[in-house]
Amino acid sequence: MATEKEKIITTSDVHLFYGKTEALKGISLDFNKNEITALIGPSGCGKSTYLRTLNRMNDLIPNVTITGTVKLGTQNIYAPDTDVVELRKDVGMVFQQPLPFPFSIYDNVIYGLRLAGVKDRQVLDQAVETSLKQAAVWDDVKDKLHESALSLSGGQQQRVCIARVLAAKPKVILMDEPTSALDPISTAKIENMLLELRDDYTIILVTHSMHQASRISDRTAFFLQGELIEADATKKIFMDPSKKQTEDYITGRFG
Amino acid sequence: MDPIKESLLKTSKAAKKEKKGKLISEFCIALIIIAVVAIFYFVASKGLATFFTNKINLWDFLTKTDWNPGVKDSHGHPEVGALPMIVGSFGVTFLSAIVATPFAIGTAIFMTEISPKRGYRIMQPVTELLVGIPSVVYGFIGLSVVVPFIRRTFGGSGFGILSGTFVLFVMILPTVTSMSVDALKAVPRHYREASLALGATRWQTIYRVVLRAATPGILTGIVFGMARAFGEALAVQMVIGNAALLPKNLISPASTLTSVLTSGIGNTVMGSLQNNALWSLALLLLLMSLFFNLVVRWIGKRGAVK
Ligand SMILES: Nc1ncnc2c1ncn2[C@@H]1O[C@H](COP(=O)(O)OP(=O)(O)O)[C@@H](O)[C@H]1O
Ligand SMILES: [Mg+2]
């Protein structure tokens, strides 16, 4: 019924082993450009693990084996000729813990640009302002850009972390439960911000909050014990899931 | 009396024990404080006697370059210029810290960021060994290896600040290294992940995030190393040449506060100017280690606020 959207990430038959334990059992899932996709499921089902295959953060863990293909655009990111550093510039990541670097707010935000070799003050200043505005934290911090980011509240810190990712101008932003450590007001601010960001970015969001998934995502994928049970338009998943396990999970009749 | 009231009014066994324990620990603390105060008082009263009893000018003491407390100069003032020793002490301290720091940081990076397993297998025993070697052994090795080497390479007698620097470099390296390792290990793993996720290479992550976050800890390690170098007596004494002269260069015989102290203190009579002048050197040493301690605290505080 819907028109075919442009896909930005396609994954097929992704298996991931921690040593001998299979944490992902053949996931095939695609992500549309300029959409928010929510990954939901009980804890330990492999959401974070899957998310981390998309920017190859699992490479940092010893004894991890990954098979299957993950494509960004048309490029298989696990192909030997893929530059991981470049990949991570295109696919940014926001973590669960709101932990900016122990530098000033300004230095945090321009970190990615500095890596890219940008030195022009004007460009940097502009990027700081734009990203902090996009991350809905500009008004909170505009008078103390050169103070330590660690002096901010948890919610502000997380938004500075998001600004830090935005300033690096990725195409896709991975978010692993970005609001689970925050209070409801900060959470609402970030949720509203994500809806705004959707026009310019593709967002893949792991969340344990059904409410968050239903409120802001376009599509939702339900994971269970390392398997993808179903992925569909968020409305469909929450109103009329095709799988019994999905229904049990979203109605809280689980386990 | 009702039993509840009775039991509440009676001091319990546990409460008595707690009182006793508290008393014992307070006694220990008092003892330590008294010892520290006594040492300070003793050194200060002796060290200050040079200026108050013997009427030596403090400025002369700090800036004159002739050290021979038994002899009077042409104006009839005793020769108690400590500048050569001050220069010697600071010289070997700073130089050895400057040489040791890059090695320490490099080793620490290897041990924490590049190859933790192999790094630890090799460096742990090496570090422990280096710490455990008595300083006389360092001095002896310095005397029989470093001094001849420098004599052959740079000429002169081989004794001097350069030899002292070499020996102290090896002696403080384990201190600075292990404190740098601790500082790097204390950097949350999360910072590294966040940096890599932003498209940094491993090397960029190390020098832009890890080292920067660990700077207060590393600085503390360096200051601790400097404190050790400043206070080391025996090993330095064996290689520096022990000439209370302002060093002309790094390979001319020199001396440090500690080396003059240890070689001179047995040959003077208590209460004489010669003896008091040595105590003044000791006071200077004490003040310097106090200063190093303050620097460490200051860095710690600044690091914590950051
Ligand atoms: N570094 C790791 N080493 C070994 N097993 C891991 C590691 N990280 C996660 N796992 C395991 O993989 C499974 C999926 O974990 P995770 O992806 O974190 O789940 P979720 O994010 O959905 O809660 C869990 O059983 C977890 O114990
Ligand atoms: Mg998780």
Side-chain angles (χ1 to χ4, degrees):
Chain A
M1 63 177 205
T3 51
E4 193 69 6
K5 292 233 179 146
E6 188 189 341
K7 295 196 165 90
I8 188 157
I9 289 184
T10 49
T11 68
S12 67
D13 199 29
V14 174
H15 291 259
L16 183 143
F17 297 83
Y18 289 116
K20 290 212 161 54
T21 330
E22 188 172 21
L24 298 178
K25 303 170 182 165
I27 311 286
S28 301
L29 181 59
D30 300 342
F31 299 92
N32 296 332
K33 210 170 166 210
N34 296 355
E35 279 193 359
I36 299 176
T37 306
L39 310 182
I40 62 169
S43 76
C45 68
K47 305 180 298 288
S48 300
T49 302
Y50 177 70
L51 195 71
R52 292 162 61 96
T53 60
L54 305 181
N55 67 343
R56 290 188 58 172
M57 285 302 274
N58 287 320
D59 291 17
L60 307 175
I61 304 169
N63 297 322
V64 167
T65 324
I66 301 165
T67 63
T69 53
V70 177
K71 284 188 183 165
L72 175 66
T74 56
Q75 173 67 20
N76 180 1
I77 67 168
Y78 284 94
D81 60 345
T82 301
D83 184 342
V84 183
V85 166
E86 288 305 318
L87 165 71
R88 291 185 186 141
K89 287 179 178 157
D90 283 340
V91 184
M93 185 165 215
V94 175
F95 298 84
Q96 183 171 2
Q97 306 93 321
L99 251 188
F101 299 130
F103 316 153
S104 70
I105 296 164
Y106 189 95
D107 282 358
N108 263 282
V109 177
I110 62 170
Y111 187 77
L113 293 170
R114 276 271 168 79
L115 292 177
V118 180
K119 293 214 174 67
D120 187 340
R121 266 284 147 192
Q122 245 173 338
V123 177
L124 293 174
D125 288 348
Q126 189 55 48
V128 166
E129 182 169 345
T130 316
S131 326
L132 287 170
K133 276 181 177 159
Q134 279 183 310
V137 69
W138 172 252
D139 290 330
D140 304 38
V141 302
K142 61 170 183 265
D143 298 323
K144 44 182 175 179
L145 291 176
H146 295 282
E147 285 175 31
S148 168
L150 300 186
S151 63
L152 301 173
S153 75
Q156 291 168 334
Q157 290 191 12
Q158 186 64 300
R159 280 177 279 151
V160 168
C161 287
I162 293 173
R164 182 172 74 182
V165 171
L166 294 177
K169 297 241 176 300
K171 297 187 177 73
V172 180
I173 304 174
L174 312 176
M175 297 191 160
D176 194 348
E177 307 197 13
T179 60
S180 66
L182 306 181
D183 61 280
I185 293 175
S186 301
T187 300
K189 278 187 185 161
I190 289 181
E191 287 178 356
N192 292 336
M193 175 227 305
L194 294 184
L195 288 171
E196 304 248 316
L197 290 178
R198 182 168 52 178
D199 297 338
D200 302 313
Y201 301 90
T202 304
I203 296 169
I204 304 173
L205 171 78
V206 170
T207 177
H208 64 269
S209 154
M210 229 75 69
H211 179 75
Q212 187 168 73
S214 67
R215 200 170 93 77
I216 65 172
S217 72
D218 302 288
R219 286 169 60 81
T220 298
F222 173 57
F223 282 66
L224 188 61
Q225 290 174 350
E227 291 183 74
L228 175 66
I229 301 300
E230 84 176 282
D232 214 325
T234 298
K235 257 200 203 113
K236 172 93 171 48
I237 293 277
F238 281 91
M239 308 295 279
D240 179 26
S242 15
K243 296 277 167 57
K244 178 88 172 47
Q245 293 114 307
T246 316
E247 187 176 344
D248 287 348
Y249 183 70
I250 58 171
T251 54
R253 264 182 288 132
F254 201 78
Chain B
M1 223 192 286
D2 77 290
I4 295 178
K5 188 170 177 188
E6 192 177 6
S7 80
L8 283 178
L9 286 174
K10 214 174 72 188
T11 324
S12 73
K13 232 183 181 167
K16 272 185 202 149
K17 253 192 193 160
E18 177 162 320
K19 227 178 189 169
K20 230 195 243 163
K22 218 173 136 190
L23 218 72
I24 293 176
S25 54
E26 277 169 356
F27 176 73
C28 294
I29 291 174
L31 212 67
I32 292 172
I33 292 177
I34 290 171
V36 170
V37 170
I39 292 173
F40 262 91
Y41 175 76
F42 188 68
V43 175
S45 67
K46 289 265 174 195
L48 292 176
T50 314
F51 309 110
F52 292 112
T53 315
N54 305 103
K55 306 284 184 230
I56 301 294
N57 185 320
L58 176 63
W59 186 243
D60 285 352
F61 174 76
L62 293 175
T63 56
K64 286 264 163 81
T65 56
D66 294 304
W67 179 262
N68 211 340
V71 176
K72 296 203 165 145
D73 65 11
S74 47
H75 305 287
H77 299 302
E79 297 186 333
V80 281
L83 189 64
M85 283 80 85
I86 296 174
V87 170
S89 274
F90 280 99
V92 290
T93 300
F94 281 108
L95 286 177
S96 59
I98 287 170
V99 181
T101 300
F103 283 92
I105 293 179
T107 312
I109 287 176
F110 184 82
M111 286 172 70
T112 56
E113 311 295 317
I114 295 172
S115 180
K117 279 211 192 99
R118 237 172 359 128
Y120 274 100
R121 246 204 340 262
I122 304 167
M123 286 313 295
Q124 198 67 21
V126 168
T127 314
E128 279 162 17
L129 214 75
L130 285 179
V131 172
I133 295 175
S135 51
V136 64
V137 175
Y138 281 110
F140 194 65
I141 295 172
L143 189 62
S144 44
V145 181
V146 177
V147 171
F149 172 77
I150 287 178
R151 185 188 310 140
R152 258 179 285 126
T153 321
F154 300 103
S157 65
F159 292 97
I161 288 187
L162 192 59
S163 300
T165 300
F166 256 106
V167 171
L168 285 176
F169 155 68
V170 182
M171 291 183 75
I172 68 173
L173 193 58
T175 311
V176 186
T177 305
S178 65
M179 292 192 68
S180 301
V181 168
D182 291 344
L184 292 181
K185 274 204 294 193
V187 175
R189 201 175 55 101
H190 196 86
Y191 288 164
R192 299 178 174 86
E193 284 201 351
S195 168
L196 292 168
L198 282 162
T201 62
R202 194 151 77 144
W203 176 237
Q204 286 173 323
T205 300
I206 289 173
Y207 80 84
R208 282 180 188 269
V209 176
V210 180
L211 279 181
R212 191 164 160 192
T215 301
I218 293 173
L219 280 180
T220 306
I222 295 171
V223 177
F224 264 106
M226 283 170 61
R228 170 141 201 238
F230 202 81
E232 173 55 38
L234 202 52
V236 178
Q237 193 190 345
M238 289 167 79
V239 300
I240 199 158
N242 297 311
L245 305 167
L246 205 59
K248 286 193 285 294
N249 51 41
L250 295 183
I251 51 170
S252 70
S255 58
T256 62
L257 295 168
T258 48
S259 71
V260 169
L261 251 175
T262 45
S263 55
I265 204 89
N267 309 323
T268 56
V269 182
M270 272 287 215
S272 65
L273 169 64
Q274 288 96 316
N275 190 266
N276 286 347
L278 290 177
W279 281 109
S280 304
L281 297 185
L283 181 60
L284 205 57
L285 270 172
L286 198 64
L287 291 178
M288 273 316 295
S289 35
L290 209 64
F291 172 74
F292 282 127
N293 263 304
L294 288 178
V295 170
V296 166
R297 276 166 169 260
W298 180 74
I299 293 173
K301 249 194 218 144
R302 279 196 42 132
V305 189
K306 238 170 97 175

